């Protein structure tokens, strides 16, 4: 914008000299010369002859030459139309314009322009959402009725609160609160933990008295109950199959082990959730291994079988003695 409003003081001949051209050259020659000089003097180029002032002079001369050629074309009806000589912004001109936003070097202006585009897009999204909400609210009678009901609920709640406050103030004025037990005495504190705030102790006591339990305690209890139930169920399934197992019983045992491994995988997800919320690092739990649990179930089954066999032997000896 600044360059477009700037009026050049160079004449046409000096402009041709700056572009290293002669009068009467073609439009393609002017564009090629301007492109080469722009690459040579552009501040962002890696050329050793980069110079912002020289680039501005080249830019100014290029526009003067284009204006001169357009004027000649207008006076000469045999040439092509005037639109061919209009200024066409090259790619680096788009890079330099940035809609007139920002100051500083081209790289700094680029960052400022990117932030400007982000802010503008955010504003457009917010405006779109606001218009959509307004249209929905305006065209929906149900939303209006819901708002009316909600406002009535708020008014009723506020009225009840004012009534309760008035009753409390009236009782205080009558002296109903003067003879309460514990008046003028400090609140009872916990004596076993003097390093914690008394208010925290009182809040914890109120929560405990009302049966409150933290989430991590409930998760820990649930995990322990689940693993015990799974262990008992797999041992019971193994006892039902008996010893030795037939081919079909072995296949059934394989399916039972697969289902048990899937249940352990789901239980390990609960363990992950427990480790995220437990406040004490030493209370975190490790994953349960399906293979170890199955091996444990087999050992438990073998121990039960040995106990049963020992009891049977003792009973047989008693019967023989009788």
């Amino acid at each position: 914008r600044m360059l477009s409003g700037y009026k050049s003081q160079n004449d046409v001949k000096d402009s041709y000299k700056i572009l290293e051209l002669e009068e009467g050259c073609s439009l393609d020659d002017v564009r090629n010369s301007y492109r080469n000089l722009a690459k040579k003097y552009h501040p962002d180029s890696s050329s050793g002859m980069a110079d912002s002032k020289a680039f501005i002079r080249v830019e100014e001369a290029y526009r003067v030459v284009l204006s001169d050629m357009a004027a000649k074309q207008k006076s000469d009806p045999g040439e092509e139309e005037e639109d061919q000589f209009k200024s066409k912004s090259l790619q680096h001109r788009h890079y330099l314009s940035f809609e007139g936003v920002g100051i500083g070097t081209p790289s700094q202006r680029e960052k400022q322009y990117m932030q400007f585009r982000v802010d503008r897009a955010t504003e457009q999204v917010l405006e779109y959402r606001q218009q959509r909400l307004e249209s929905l609210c305006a065209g929906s009678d149900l939303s209006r009725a819901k708002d009316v009901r909600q406002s009535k609920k708020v008014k009723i709640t506020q009225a009840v609160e004012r009534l309760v406050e008035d009753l409390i103030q009236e009782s205080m004025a009558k002296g109903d609160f003067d003879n309460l037990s514990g008046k003028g005495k400090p609140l009872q504190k916990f004596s076993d933990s003097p390093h914690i705030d008394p208010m925290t102790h009182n809040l914890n006591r109120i929560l405990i008295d009302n049966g409150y339990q933290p989430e991590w305690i409930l998760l820990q209890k649930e995990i322990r109950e689940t693993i015990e139930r799974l262990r008992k169920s797999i041992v019971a399934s193994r006892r039902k199959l008996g010893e030795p197992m037939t081919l079909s019983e072995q296949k059934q045992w394989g399916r039972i082990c697969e289902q048990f491994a899937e249940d352990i995988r789901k239980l390990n997800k609960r363990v992950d959730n427990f480790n995220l919320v437990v406040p004490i690092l030493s209370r975190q739990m490790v994953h349960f291994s399906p293979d170890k649990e199955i091996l444990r179930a087999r050992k438990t089954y073998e121990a039960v079988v040995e106990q049963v066999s020992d009891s049977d032997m003792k009973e047989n000896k008693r019967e023989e003695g009788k």
Side-chain angles (χ1 to χ4, degrees):
R1 291 180 178 180
M2 181 178 67
L3 292 175
S4 62
Y6 180 78
K7 294 184 178 180
S8 172
Q9 297 179 357
N10 295 332
D11 55 5
V12 178
K13 294 182 180 180
D14 293 337
S15 300
Y16 277 104
K17 290 181 181 179
I18 292 174
L19 294 178
E20 300 177 359
L21 297 172
E22 295 181 357
E23 296 186 12
C25 60
S26 63
L27 181 61
D28 293 335
D29 294 336
V30 174
R31 290 175 177 172
N32 293 332
S33 178
Y34 170 69
R35 188 180 296 107
N36 295 330
L37 292 175
K39 293 180 180 179
K40 182 178 180 182
Y41 295 115
H42 198 282
D44 292 340
S45 65
S46 58
S47 175
M49 302 181 65
D51 187 2
S52 59
K53 295 182 179 179
F55 175 73
I56 292 175
R57 289 197 298 270
V58 170
E59 175 76 17
E60 179 184 349
Y62 175 64
R63 296 194 176 279
V64 171
V65 170
L66 288 180
S67 300
D68 179 67
M69 296 181 72
K72 290 181 179 179
Q73 178 64 22
K74 187 181 294 185
S75 60
D76 188 3
E79 297 292 334
E80 296 180 355
E81 296 181 355
E82 179 186 358
D83 294 338
Q84 298 179 358
F85 299 96
K86 286 187 177 180
S87 167
K88 295 184 179 179
S89 297
L90 298 177
Q91 185 175 5
H92 69 274
R93 285 300 303 149
H94 294 286
Y95 175 75
L96 289 175
S97 63
F98 299 126
E99 301 182 15
V101 176
I103 57 175
T105 62
S107 59
Q108 293 175 351
R109 293 184 61 194
E110 182 184 14
K111 294 179 180 179
Q112 297 171 11
Y113 180 63
M114 290 174 65
Q115 184 62 36
F116 168 74
R117 292 181 62 186
V118 171
D119 296 339
R120 183 171 59 184
T122 305
E123 292 178 358
Q124 291 176 355
V125 170
L126 292 176
E127 290 179 358
Y128 170 75
R129 290 181 178 176
Q130 183 178 1
Q131 293 176 359
R132 186 176 180 182
L133 289 175
E134 290 177 355
S135 61
L136 290 175
C137 292
S140 176
D141 296 335
L142 295 176
S143 61
R144 293 180 182 178
K146 184 178 179 180
D147 293 339
V148 172
R149 290 194 298 270
Q150 187 67 23
S151 62
K152 288 183 179 179
K153 289 182 180 179
V154 172
K155 290 180 181 179
I156 293 172
T157 304
Q158 293 176 354
V160 172
E161 291 177 354
R162 287 196 298 269
L163 177 60
V164 172
E165 185 67 24
D166 293 340
L167 293 175
I168 292 173
Q169 294 295 333
E170 184 179 354
S171 299
M172 291 176 62
K174 291 180 180 180
D176 295 339
F177 297 154
D178 295 340
N179 298 323
L180 294 176
S181 60
K183 179 182 179 182
K185 298 179 182 180
L187 293 174
Q188 183 181 0
K189 301 179 182 179
F190 290 98
S191 59
D192 55 350
S193 183
H195 302 289
I196 302 179
D197 183 24
M199 182 60 69
T200 304
H201 281 291
N202 293 329
L203 291 175
N204 291 335
R205 184 184 63 185
I206 293 171
L207 292 174
I208 292 172
D209 293 341
N210 288 273
Y212 171 77
Q213 291 182 351
E215 182 182 2
W216 65 276
I217 292 179
L218 297 176
L219 281 174
Q220 187 180 28
K221 182 179 179 182
E222 182 183 357
I223 291 170
R224 290 177 178 175
E225 292 177 352
T226 303
I227 190 63
E228 289 297 328
R229 178 176 54 80
L230 291 176
R231 288 170 179 172
K232 291 180 180 179
S233 65
I234 193 171
V235 172
S237 300
R238 183 64 185 88
R239 292 183 63 181
K240 288 180 180 179
L241 296 176
E243 187 69 27
M245 292 187 294
T246 62
L247 184 60
S248 61
E249 289 176 346
Q250 290 179 0
K251 292 181 180 180
Q252 185 178 357
W253 173 248
R255 291 193 294 270
I256 292 173
C257 292
E258 290 178 359
Q259 182 62 36
F260 180 77
E262 180 67 19
D263 295 336
I264 291 295
R265 186 183 64 82
K266 295 179 180 179
L267 183 61
N268 287 332
K269 289 185 178 181
R270 297 183 186 177
V271 172
D272 293 336
N273 296 333
F274 169 78
N275 292 334
L276 290 174
V277 298
V278 63
I280 305 174
L281 186 62
S282 60
R283 292 292 185 90
Q284 289 190 345
M285 303 176 66
V286 297
H287 283 186
F288 296 97
S289 175
D291 298 334
K292 292 182 180 180
E293 293 296 334
I294 293 173
L295 181 60
R296 179 177 179 175
R298 289 178 179 175
K299 292 181 179 180
T300 304
Y301 169 72
E302 292 174 357
V304 171
V305 171
E306 290 180 358
Q307 291 178 0
V308 171
S309 61
D310 292 340
S311 62
D312 292 340
M313 290 177 63
K314 289 180 181 180
E315 290 180 358
N316 292 332
K317 288 181 179 181
R318 287 178 184 176
E319 292 178 356
E320 291 177 357
K322 290 180 180 179

